[in-house]
Amino acid sequence: RLFTDGLIWALGMSFAIEQINNSSSLLPGITLGYDMYDTCFEALVALQPSLLFLSRKGTTAIGLLCNYSEYQPRVTAVIGPHKSDLCLLTAKLFSSFLIPQVSYGASSETLSNTELYPSFYRTVPSDKNLVEAVVLLLNQFDWNWVATVGSDDEYGRGAQALFLSMAATNNICIAFEGLIPTDLAEPGARQQLEDTVRMINSTKVNVVVLFAYSLPAQALLEHSIRMGLGKKVWVGTEAWMLSDIAASTPNIQSIGTVLGFVMRAGTVPGFQEYVAELFSSVAQEGFCRRSRELSRLMSAGVLDTRCPQCDRVTLGDIWPMLGVTTVQPVHVAVYSVAHALHRALGCTSKSCPKTAIRSWQLLHFMNTLPFEVNGQSFRFDQSHGTNTGYKLIFWAWRDGTLTNLPVGDYDQSLYIRRSQIQFHTADKKEPASECFRRCQPGQFRRIKGFNLCCYDCTDCSENTFWSSTDSTSCSPCPRHQWAPARSTRCHDRAERFLFWDEPLAVALVTLMALTAALCCVTALLFLKHLRTPLVRAAGGGRSLLALLWLLLQSLSCCLYVGRPSAALCTLQQLSYALCLNGCFSTFVPKVLEITLVTEFPRCAPRLLRWVTRGRAWLLVAASLLAQALLCCCHLRLGPDFLVADYQSLPSEVLLVCGTQSWAAFALLHGYNSCLAFACFLCTFMVQTPARRYNVARGITFATLICFVIWIFFLVIFATLRTVLRAVTQICTILATTLGILASYFVPKCYILVFRPDLNTADYCQNPAEEEPE
């Protein structure tokens, strides 16, 4: 059938061209020539002659120019192809060169975009007009619960998408939408067709809208019959309703009622006689001789135009299709180009000027002026299409013979002769097609489109619950409650924080105890050797104070475990900042002492007395007092507060300490950072003579480790809002404490325990006791 249709369209083109060449008024004195190619309904096959058409006249090469206004391609205009898929490919090529292309079958709405396809025209209505007619048909019969199926190609997908959008605004509910394969030889094609039939059956619809070409439509109808789908109302289109392929399916009468729209097209006078005369002349010797002469003139570099199948076609093969296949769109397409040529050349009724014409010059006349074909007026609209209207036809079976019975007309409005339609129901009246479903507990009715007739039963999402049977939405739970998906009630949220008995907390508390024990052991060891040169060089009694602050800092980890409160949130940052400052404050006198001796030896003798012995304790007290004042400022500007977070966890309320003022946070911890940075700058370049203990090196590494830990802490702390936020703070405190112990105190403990021979005045000489250089 596809080959037969293609042959009839080709004959329609040649018939129109012969009529124009024989006309004495349309293009007098001008003979139209043509190249005709079979696309085989394949994109690659259609692309080959398209590229040939674009080649420069007289050559087979396409010129690459910046300005194509003077470019003369091989052809002036292109007629065809028939399918939308092929036109979407070729129209981009021809629009780039502004060569008029007139299709006689491509109905895709995408091709209505004149900005993308400025030189594309068609002599058939677009799918938008067809879908409008289908929607009006469904509304007139009050069918608001339908299924829609489209072939998986440009025509099916585009028409179905248009139908879905229009149905939503016209109170039509879509029970099922699906696509069927166009290539029936695919491995999964059969399964896909069977799944489509099962889905249609499960929806209990009585109306199916089918946008597909003849072969996929026939496959779907065959599977519907074989699987016992039941009788439905099938709303179709010209793409398959006029095809003898679908109509000849065995037991096709059992599918139910078939209604559909076909383009309203008139007959072409003289066409059947032309075809009959052409086939009678094929057998004559003169025709065969001229055909052989034309074949010898064909260039070897041009695509082969011979049609092998045409040798076996007889008039009897195509005669039954002449009354079914629509030839008028092909006829009108050829005449539209001829009329544009007539006006572009400035022809009169007697002659045409022998002037060159460019393809792009035809576009103005095709866009603006009407033209007449066989007494009927046509005109391209703003989207370069011709809306000739539709006929509503009904598949009527009379004595086992199919008749396409016209039962209505569509042209902006739809008129139906209902008395002529005999439905498959027992009373021959139209069946109802409505929907009703009862949702399960925990589901709500989600309305499809803007109507109330049909809906999907959708599970209530998390933190919402189902309130009533006919509810069209789920009610949100109060903030202090939660609900799982598909729930009928809300549950109270459990509090979430770092519990004492959870494994992570136990591990951290154990590490805290070990850190505190290490501080105590170190303090006892320093106390035992308080009068030795090494402990005196490390700060003496101030080292014991530093260890006490480190002990308190490690014990402050308990503030982060258990249920937080406003008071605990306030104490957390204050305790960490104050304890760390207490440790760093004990380093300050030693750092100043080392700096004076190494960097300012001339001033050292008179200034050392201000940073040693009893006055060193005044420096420690002053530093602690400054940090205490900053703690008061932190409390004034905005201390940390308790936050109940209902968003982070689905079923629990997260209790965390939130930072109220980052400025106060920076002020609180900024002083310690400056103190540590000053200690680092004053000690990292200090060199000690050989065989001497370098006290400065321990302070350098202690402050450096703190900087590294704080960098990681700030990045994580600023972004984390889970239980791990408290874990991060505990880890930071313990890491800082262990870092100071490991870098400053543990090496000295090693000497005190394992190398007492190094604990001498010569090896551990106090910087203040050294003679300045």
Side-chain angles (χ1 to χ4, degrees), residues 628-644:
L629 291 175
L630 291 174
C631 289
C632 294
C633 292
H634 180 267
L635 292 174
R636 183 72 176 174
L637 291 175
D640 288 4
F641 63 102
L642 182 63
V643 176

Side-chain angles (χ1 to χ4, degrees), residues 62-300:
I62 300 176
L64 297 178
L65 307 174
C66 295
N67 187 352
Y68 284 91
S69 58
E70 298 300 324
Y71 185 79
Q72 186 67 55
R74 178 184 177 89
V75 298
T76 304
V78 178
I79 307 298
H82 177 265
K83 291 185 68 175
S84 298
D85 303 65
L86 306 184
C87 286
L88 284 172
L89 177 66
T90 59
K92 289 183 179 180
L93 286 174
F94 297 131
S95 293
S96 300
F97 289 77
L98 293 182
I99 297 177
Q101 177 186 4
V102 188
S103 174
Y104 47 86
S107 58
S108 173
E109 180 62 19
T110 306
L111 293 166
S112 297
N113 190 336
T114 55
E115 292 184 0
L116 290 178
Y117 311 101
S119 67
F120 179 81
Y121 300 83
R122 55 183 162 203
T123 54
V124 293
S126 73
D127 288 335
K128 182 179 180 181
N129 304 110
L130 173 65
V131 170
E132 288 174 351
V134 172
V135 169
L136 286 177
L137 172 67
L138 298 177
N139 279 336
Q140 285 209 19
F141 284 105
D142 294 325
W143 291 330
N144 60 12
W145 179 237
V146 301
T148 174
V149 181
S151 53
D152 195 5
D153 52 23
E154 178 60 32
Y155 168 71
R157 291 190 300 267
Q160 189 181 64
L162 283 171
F163 175 71
L164 293 174
S165 63
M166 289 189 185
T169 58
N170 285 273
N171 294 329
I172 298 173
C173 306
I174 307 301
F176 167 74
E177 55 182 278
L179 296 174
I180 54 177
T182 55
D183 186 1
L184 303 178
E186 291 181 356
R190 180 184 179 90
Q191 184 63 42
Q192 189 173 348
L193 288 165
E194 292 178 352
D195 291 342
T196 301
V197 174
R198 292 191 190 97
M199 289 300 299
I200 294 174
N201 189 45
S202 65
T203 58
K204 308 299 182 184
V205 297
N206 286 326
V207 178
V208 181
V209 181
L210 178 57
F211 299 102
Y213 285 110
S214 56
L215 289 177
Q218 180 201 22
L220 179 64
L221 295 176
E222 284 181 348
H223 280 77
S224 301
I225 296 169
R226 182 177 58 83
M227 298 174 66
L229 177 61
K231 293 185 176 183
K232 308 287 183 184
V233 176
W234 294 82
V235 179
T237 64
E238 184 175 356
W240 64 271
M241 286 194 62
L242 296 181
S243 170
D244 58 343
I245 297 177
S248 60
T249 303
N251 202 22
I252 190 66
Q253 300 94 323
S254 63
I255 65 170
T257 304
V258 179
L259 289 169
F261 292 94
V262 299
M263 188 180 66
R264 187 190 299 146
T267 59
V268 178
F271 177 64
Q272 292 186 347
E273 293 80 0
Y274 167 78
V275 173
E277 182 181 353
L278 184 64
F279 270 87
S280 64
S281 64
V282 167
Q284 298 176 8
E285 180 59 29
F287 180 88
C288 297
R289 185 175 62 254
R290 287 195 303 271
S291 178
R292 287 192 294 268
E293 292 174 356
L294 290 174
S295 298
R296 285 194 297 270
L297 294 176
M298 287 295 296
S299 172

Side-chain angles (χ1 to χ4, degrees), residues 402-423:
L402 173 63
T403 302
N404 292 316
L405 181 65
V407 292
D409 294 281
Y410 170 77
D411 189 2
Q412 306 298 326
S413 60
L414 179 63
Y415 170 72
I416 303 176
R417 294 180 287 274
R418 297 197 180 199
S419 59
Q420 297 183 359
I421 304 176
Q422 295 184 352
F423 289 93

Side-chain angles (χ1 to χ4, degrees), residues 689-723:
R691 302 183 205 176
R692 291 284 184 89
Y693 182 73
N694 192 343
V695 180
R697 193 62 61 237
I699 298 175
T700 302
F701 281 112
T703 53
L704 183 62
I705 289 173
C706 288
F707 280 131
V708 173
I709 293 171
W710 289 346
I711 290 172
F712 283 99
F713 165 72
L714 288 174
V715 172
I716 298 173
F717 183 77
T719 57
L720 208 59
R721 288 189 64 85
T722 64
V723 175

Side-chain angles (χ1 to χ4, degrees), residues 3 36-38 40 287-288 291-292 294-296 298-299 302-312:
F3 169 74
M36 195 172 294
Y37 294 90
D38 185 4
C40 302
F287 180 88
C288 297
S291 178
R292 287 192 294 268
L294 290 174
S295 298
R296 285 194 297 270
M298 287 295 296
S299 172
V302 180
L303 295 174
D304 185 13
T305 58
R306 180 171 176 76
C307 172
Q309 300 92 334
C310 297
D311 294 340
R312 297 184 296 272

